[in-house]
Amino acid sequence: MSDLMRRVTEFLAAHDPAATDRWEFLRARFDAGLARIDWPQGLGGLGASPAEQAAVDAAFAAAGAPNNRPALGIIGLGMASPAILRHGTSKQQQRLLRPLWTGEEIWCQLFSEPGAGSDLASLATRAVRDGDDWVVNGQKVWTSLAQFARRAILVTRTDPNVPKHEGLTYFVLDMKAPGVEVRPLRQITGESEFNEVFLTDVRIPDADRLGAVGEGWAVAMTTLMSERTTIGGGHSPRNAMVAPLMNTWRSRPELRTAGLHERVLELWVQAEASRVAGVRRRQAQAAGRPGPEGSAAKLSFSELNQRITAVETELLGAEGLRYADWRPERAPEGTVPAANRRYLRSRGNSIEGGTSEILRNIIAERVLGLPPEVRVDKDIAWKDLPR
Ligand SMILES: Cc1cc2nc3c(=O)[nH]c(=O)nc-3n(C[C@H](O)[C@H](O)[C@H](O)COP(=O)(O)OP(=O)(O)OC[C@H]3O[C@@H](n4cnc5c(N)ncnc54)[C@H](O)[C@@H]3O)c2cc1C
């Protein structure tokens, strides 16, 4: 048994999952460096190679331990934590990371605005310095999980007099601060996963600024590259994405039609290729190199998931179109939503976290080294840009 697995065994012996309070267990797991072994010591990890993480997770799961990566933690763990690790002060890291791993804090991402989605750097939410605080005004949109969130990662404009990428500053926002208003938006599935968020004279202490004033774009880039790997590269265990289709295929032979067998097999192979590529992406991310290649993982995941859910809907025929769960909240954790809900939700995959068109541009420019898009607004102060 490796030293690491011995540590896991000893930890489980000292903290019987059946007899230990959930939060206490998860906090102790973080403090023992077993939340994510490749993270630094004192911050949930042991500075070890990520290669054994899967075995560590499997051992905890087999012992009945609570999951330290709750589904609602996708933004906090997948997107905010890499930015905090890379750009945060050690005080911020100590304060912010632990409740993400325990699931005690759900976070959301206040990036997109009505006039700033693909062109995120054109955003208008303003932050003005006032003593030890910043005062923030603006509107964000499509904010997933804002209705549950304790904190948000937020990009603001702090200097309108310089070109759009240069005048941005990044903060961690307390979603309970006065002046934060969350209004739900109903999406195609009938659920309200995302929201509009209005910020009116919201005060953020300077201690909650992540990175230097005016350097928010670099922090946002770390976040977005991690986001693409998180969305596109996280599809383990084996078969997770394609399993519902395979189950329907196996259990309902009466639904099969000629030619579909080949398409189902092809999708299985592609899903497996996507999963294996995702393992490599996660390793690169763990090594601090999220890289633009994550865009390819996100692009292939979103297109593949749309094809998989479309084939299942086709297989189910009229049954696949019947919709029974128009609930306003996302499906409870651990449940597999109905096929038509999965089909409708997959439409958003090619928009959220960067549209497929934008990802193709990134792959062309930053991975393949093709000539960049023409950018006429690069040297113009943000306040002088037409809006
Ligand atoms: C399910 C879901 C969840 C989301 N969650 C969040 C969240 O939690 N937080 C958050 O901040 N945002 C979130 N978003 C917003 C998402 O990031 C944006 O919708 C996305 O970046 C696109 O921006 P936009 O909607 O403004 O479209 P636009 O930027 O207006 O684009 C419209 C169309 O033009 C195309 N286009 C734009 N520029 C170019 C170009 N240069 N070259 C080629 N084509 C181009 C786009 O690809 C798209 O097809 C979410 C979106 C969805 C669908």
Side-chain angles (χ1 to χ4, degrees):
M1 189 191 287
S2 70
D3 274 359
L4 178 66
M5 294 316 285
R6 193 165 301 118
R7 267 179 197 253
V8 173
T9 310
E10 283 168 11
F11 179 90
L12 285 166
H15 303 84
D16 175 5
T20 313
D21 168 72
R22 176 189 175 85
W23 306 124
E24 199 187 309
F25 184 94
L26 290 171
R27 286 186 210 119
R29 179 176 172 176
F30 182 92
D31 296 340
L34 296 171
R36 191 162 137 180
I37 53 167
D38 54 293
W39 276 28
Q41 282 196 337
L43 296 176
L46 298 166
S49 149
E52 284 186 273
Q53 183 68 54
V56 170
D57 288 342
F60 275 107
N67 179 7
N68 70 341
R69 296 178 207 211
L72 294 182
I74 181 165
I75 291 174
L77 278 175
M79 300 160 205
S81 70
I84 296 167
L85 270 183
R86 180 129 174 222
H87 303 276
T89 61
S90 109
K91 250 189 186 163
Q92 288 170 330
Q93 292 169 347
Q94 296 289 344
R95 181 164 57 93
L96 298 171
L97 293 174
R98 196 177 186 231
L100 295 179
W101 281 107
T102 58
E104 285 162 292
E105 283 189 8
I106 303 304
W107 285 31
C108 65
Q109 180 190 37
L110 292 169
F111 281 21
S112 302
E113 298 184 5
S118 300
D119 187 10
L120 178 64
S122 66
L123 62 85
T125 291
R126 191 85 167 90
V128 177
R129 185 83 194 232
D130 181 27
D132 286 341
D133 291 344
W134 293 82
V135 179
V136 182
N137 282 284
Q139 185 200 339
K140 299 287 179 175
V141 74
W142 315 133
T143 316
S144 307
L145 305 177
Q147 68 274 43
F148 307 119
R150 180 66 184 81
R151 289 179 215 279
I153 41 177
L154 167 71
V155 197
T156 65
R157 183 156 309 279
T158 43
D159 187 352
N161 299 307
V162 294
K164 61 181 183 179
H165 291 90
E166 293 171 25
L168 301 170
T169 302
Y170 194 116
F171 295 96
V172 172
L173 169 71
D174 177 352
M175 289 292 285
K176 297 206 186 316
V180 179
E181 188 195 344
V182 177
R183 293 189 202 159
L185 289 169
R186 187 60 67 96
Q187 66 208 66
I188 192 174
T189 57
E191 299 161 312
S192 293
E193 278 181 289
F194 48 46
N195 307 269
E196 297 176 298
V197 178
F198 294 84
L199 304 168
T200 311
D201 291 332
V202 177
R203 297 191 81 85
I204 305 181
D206 189 53
D208 289 346
R209 170 170 48 80
L210 209 58
V213 175
E215 289 180 17
W217 186 247
V219 192
M221 279 303 100
T222 304
T223 312
L224 292 184
M225 285 196 279
S226 307
E227 174 168 8
R228 283 156 197 166
T229 299
T230 300
I231 299 177
H235 302 282
S236 48
R238 197 170 187 180
N239 281 349
M241 187 176 12
V242 80
L245 169 62
M246 301 307 296
N247 289 342
T248 306
W249 177 263
R250 280 195 205 100
S251 62
R252 305 280 302 273
E254 77 281 7
L255 298 175
R256 296 177 196 169
T257 52
L260 215 51
H261 184 228
E262 209 169 303
R263 283 166 69 198
V264 170
L265 276 181
E266 198 181 309
L267 290 170
W268 187 89
V269 171
Q270 288 172 4
E272 186 58 5
S274 164
R275 183 188 68 82
V276 173
V279 172
R280 290 188 61 183
R281 292 300 327 135
R282 285 203 300 281
Q283 285 170 352
Q285 186 183 31
R289 292 180 277 104
E293 299 83 356
S295 295
K298 197 268 171 176
L299 177 65
S300 69
F301 153 71
S302 42
E303 303 213 331
L304 185 56
N305 200 35
Q306 288 177 356
R307 286 205 299 279
I308 289 172
T309 54
V311 167
E312 192 185 2
T313 306
E314 190 182 325
L315 184 62
L316 289 165
E319 186 187 328
L321 299 174
R322 206 178 308 127
Y323 204 82
D325 56 352
W326 292 97
R327 67 185 118 215
E329 299 295 336
R330 55 160 52 193
E333 197 168 329
T335 62
V336 180
N340 45 14
R341 190 268 180 197
R342 285 198 302 279
Y343 171 76
L344 292 173
R345 180 60 183 82
S346 73
R347 305 297 101 190
N349 293 157
S350 48
I351 304 173
E352 61 196 326
T355 67
S356 291
E357 291 80 10
I358 294 298
L359 298 183
R360 285 196 179 89
N361 284 350
I362 292 172
I363 293 164
E365 293 177 21
R366 293 199 231 149
V367 181
L368 302 176
L370 296 176
E373 269 196 290
V374 178
R375 293 186 176 96
V376 289
D377 57 2
K378 237 178 135 185
D379 301 317
I380 302 174
W382 176 82
K383 68 176 171 38
D384 298 327
L385 294 176
R387 256 183 299 282

